[in-house]
């Protein structure tokens, strides 16, 4: 299964009230309203007695249903000396459970006309299926079976250690620009080990994982009180909640480990690093700034700054670096290189990167970047610029909601339930962006786009050289 969608720069779930811990459900409109520039996603939110969060979002646009199970464990807080372990465990979830043999989960989904995937992100590991809606109950039974009774065996572990190590080699070690900048930048820009280790995993750490590690990880994090189940699509909320209660309701909750300190110190000096990529044909540059804290006014301002700077061919960085200066053929970037600006829960980076001609120096690129960044810190953007950024943000959000047969909507609902205990926040996103002012854009840029909050990574194309990295601080 996929480690993550590395291309997803865009912003990119009888009515058993008697067994519900949270009382009456938080229910909103039964029909999604996506007319005009506003939208309202139906949200029903419940918590079972065992702590499992359940979100149901009714939408009869198509006869399909999305089932998404999110566990509140990502690679950010995986065990020390076990880098890549969260991803390795994601693979273990397809190796069989009490009633489904090895890879039979995959066969069950596909033989019923569905699609599925799983991924490991900064702050969660997820598993989802998009199936014909009359197969909803089958999918809930199967997901509950592996939450209750995963087959943790040495044979499965050994097999998946090999699979993951090969995946690392194919996607990173033996690939030009492998890990640049999505895997590299967090390691250079962050100071806290939880944010700065190799998320994909060092090969020796992957090799060192034991069966006890796997069982302990499952017991600690794959419990109903550390998860949310989202069902979105052509479903009846009352019947759906009954099915969730039937299949997940008797899975016992477990004590959750304490959350480690994942905070990052305020950066006070620009950091520069150079990495040699023996497989790359042309040099590249990436630069990152630490993001404002999630859900603050500055966080939403950074969302619009992202639109102004790097989203689309009308963005300021694209226009400056591509048609005006001819320094590169493209520039890409955004908030959270392994997802979108809504599905994480900790320190994050805003990053942009480009590949350029060897005749162009990295300093020339960064000087051009500075001519774009500096005005945001010193001048007020006009309302037309801000309005355009909001329109682009809305377009991106609407696109996200409909991705993969409705999985995009389930992803946001799961993230808001897991991190904020409030999936209805999905209907408040646009209002937050509407409150951003030109003054807030400028003050946010002054604090978060200052040079001393920046990390620059220069990739040197070095045919025949071994990969290496060095600091030029």
């Amino acid at each position: 299964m996929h480690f993550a969608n590395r291309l997803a720069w865009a912003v990119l779930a009888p009515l058993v009230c008697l067994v519900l811990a949270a009382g009456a459900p938080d229910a909103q409109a039964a029909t999604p309203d996506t007319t005009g520039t506003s939208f309202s996603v139906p949200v029903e939110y419940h918590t079972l007695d065992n702590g499992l969060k359940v979100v149901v979002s009714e939408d009869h646009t198509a006869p399909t249903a999305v089932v998404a199970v999110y566990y509140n464990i990502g690679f950010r807080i995986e065990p020390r000396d076990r880098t890549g372990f969260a991803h390795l465990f994601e693979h273990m979830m397809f190796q069989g459970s009490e009633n489904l043999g090895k890879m039979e989960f995959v066969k069950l989904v596909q033989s019923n006309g569905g699609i599925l995937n799983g991924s490991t992100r900064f702050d969660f590991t997820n598993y989802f299926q998009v199936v014909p809606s009359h197969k909803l109950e089958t999918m809930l039974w199967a997901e509950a079976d592996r939450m209750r009774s995963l087959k943790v065996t040495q044979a499965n572990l050994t097999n998946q250690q090999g699979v993951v190590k090969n995946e690392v080699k194919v996607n990173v070690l033996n690939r030009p620009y492998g890990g640049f900048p999505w895997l590299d930048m967090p390691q250079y820009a962050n100071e806290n080990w939880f944010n700065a280790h190799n998320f994909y995993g060092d090969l020796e750490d992957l090799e060192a994982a034991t069966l006890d590690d796997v069982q302990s990880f499952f017991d600690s994090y794959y419990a109903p009180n550390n998860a949310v189940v989202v069902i979105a699509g052509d479903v009846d909320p009352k019947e759906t909640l009954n099915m969730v209660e039937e299949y997940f309701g008797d899975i016992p909750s477990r004590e959750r480990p304490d959350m480690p300190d994942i905070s990052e110190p305020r950066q006070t000096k620009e950091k520069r690093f150079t990495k040699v990529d023996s497989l790359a044909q042309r040099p590249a540059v990436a630069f990152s700034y630490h993001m404002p804290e999630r859900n603050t006014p500055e966080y939403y301002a950074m969302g619009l700054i992202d639109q102004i700077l790097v989203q689309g061919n009308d963005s300021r960085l694209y226009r400056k670096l591509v048609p005006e200066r001819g320094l590169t053929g493209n520039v890409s970037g955004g908030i959270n290189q392994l997802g979108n600006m809504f599905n994480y829960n900790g320190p994050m980076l805003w990053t942009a990167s480009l590949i350029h001609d060897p005749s162009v120096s990295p300093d020339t690129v960064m000087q051009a970047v500075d001519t774009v960044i500096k005005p945001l810190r010193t001048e007020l953007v006009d309302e037309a610029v801000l309005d355009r950024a909001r329109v682009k943000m809305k377009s991106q959000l609407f696109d996200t909601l409909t991705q993969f047969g409705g999985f995009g909507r389930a992803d946001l609902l799961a993230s808001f339930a897991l991190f904020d205990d409030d999936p209805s926040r999905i209907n408040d996103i646009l209002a937050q962006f509407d409150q951003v002012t030109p003054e807030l854009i400028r003050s946010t840029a002054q604090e978060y786009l200052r040079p001393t909050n920046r990390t620059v990574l220069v990739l040197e194309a070095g045919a025949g050289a071994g990969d290496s990295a060095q600091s030029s601080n």
Side-chain angles (χ1 to χ4, degrees), residues 27 48 145 206 228 259 275 322 353 360 398:
L48 304 190
D145 194 57
L206 292 169
V228 57
M259 181 70 180
K275 171 185 178 180
V322 181
S353 65
V360 176
F398 294 160

Side-chain angles (χ1 to χ4, degrees), residues 404-424:
F404 299 109
F407 168 68
R409 182 201 323 198
D411 176 66
L412 295 189
L413 291 170
S415 298
F416 293 144
L418 212 55
F419 304 142
D420 306 296
D421 197 23
D422 183 10
S424 68

Side-chain angles (χ1 to χ4, degrees), residues 312-390:
N313 291 355
D314 67 332
S315 66
R316 291 183 175 185
L317 281 172
Y318 182 88
R319 285 187 287 140
K320 172 63 71 175
L321 300 174
V322 181
E324 184 177 333
R325 295 290 304 276
L327 299 178
T328 183
N330 191 31
V331 56
S332 60
I335 301 167
N336 184 9
Q337 298 177 58
L338 294 172
N340 57 53
M341 72 170 290
F342 305 109
N343 61 4
Y344 70 89
N345 191 33
M348 187 48 64
L349 301 169
W350 179 85
T351 300
S353 65
L354 58 97
I355 297 172
H356 59 88
D357 191 84
S359 63
V360 176
S361 73
D363 286 344
T364 298
V365 172
M366 293 311 301
Q367 288 167 5
V369 168
D370 283 338
T371 65
V372 174
I373 300 286
K374 186 176 180 180
L376 281 177
R377 298 200 310 268
T378 57
E379 304 169 8
L380 292 177
V381 297
D382 59 44
E383 285 293 345
V385 171
L386 204 51
D387 286 345
R388 187 175 183 83
R390 291 193 185 98

Side-chain angles (χ1 to χ4, degrees), residues 16-244:
V16 285
C17 292
L18 293 177
V19 300
L20 303 180
D26 174 12
Q28 297 191 3
T31 302
D33 175 10
T34 57
T35 60
T37 57
S38 64
F39 70 99
S40 178
V41 174
V43 179
E44 294 208 16
Y45 187 38
H46 312 266
T47 302
L48 304 190
D49 280 351
N50 60 7
L52 179 68
K53 297 175 178 177
V54 184
V55 185
V56 182
S57 184
E58 186 179 5
D59 179 6
H60 301 289
T61 303
T64 60
V66 180
V67 176
V69 181
Y70 280 54
Y71 293 92
N72 196 4
I73 172 65
F75 44 64
R76 196 196 300 268
I77 62 168
E78 61 193 359
R80 288 179 183 269
D81 302 323
R82 290 293 182 270
T83 58
F85 196 84
H87 176 224
L88 172 63
F89 193 89
E90 173 211 318
H91 282 245
M92 293 292 293
M93 287 289 280
F94 295 91
Q95 299 307 302
S97 53
E98 180 178 357
N99 295 296
L100 288 169
K102 186 181 180 72
M103 298 303 289
E104 286 186 355
F105 190 104
V106 176
K107 295 176 183 175
L108 181 68
V109 176
Q110 294 177 337
S111 65
N112 281 289
I115 60 174
L116 77 162
N117 210 338
S119 70
T120 311
R121 306 299 178 95
F122 279 96
D123 301 293
F124 62 78
T125 304
N126 66 353
Y127 308 88
F128 73 90
Q129 307 89 45
V130 183
V131 295
S133 52
H134 68 284
K135 291 299 179 181
L136 169 64
E137 184 170 7
T138 302
M139 295 303 106
L140 292 174
W141 168 82
E143 282 288 9
D145 194 57
R146 64 179 175 179
M147 180 186 287
R148 176 187 291 107
S149 60
L150 185 69
K151 284 283 182 63
V152 179
T153 69
Q154 184 61 54
N156 287 339
L157 173 59
T158 301
N159 175 267
Q160 291 309 304
Q161 284 173 312
V163 171
V164 172
K165 285 191 292 185
N166 282 333
E167 189 177 319
V168 172
K169 292 175 183 175
V170 169
N171 289 333
V172 179
L173 299 179
N174 298 328
R175 180 175 185 166
Y177 310 102
F180 179 84
W182 60 274
L183 185 61
D184 296 326
M185 259 311 185
Q187 298 180 64
Y188 291 119
N190 292 316
E191 299 293 331
N192 187 329
W193 181 90
F194 290 103
N195 306 313
H197 67 277
N198 179 359
F199 302 141
Y200 226 154
D202 295 322
L203 295 184
E204 56 267 30
D205 282 353
L206 292 169
E207 185 67 39
T210 68
L211 203 59
D212 287 343
D213 292 332
V214 176
Q215 188 63 58
S216 174
F217 198 78
F218 179 74
D219 293 341
S220 298
Y221 297 109
Y222 279 67
N225 51 319
N226 199 44
V228 57
V229 177
V230 178
I231 303 96
D234 183 29
V235 300
D236 178 89
K238 182 177 179 179
E239 293 177 356
T240 299
L241 187 58
N242 279 338
M243 287 189 278
V244 173

Side-chain angles (χ1 to χ4, degrees), residues 250-264:
D250 63 348
I251 302 175
S253 61
R254 291 191 286 270
E255 184 176 352
R256 297 191 298 182
D258 293 335
M259 181 70 180
D261 177 9
I262 61 172
S263 63
E264 281 291 323

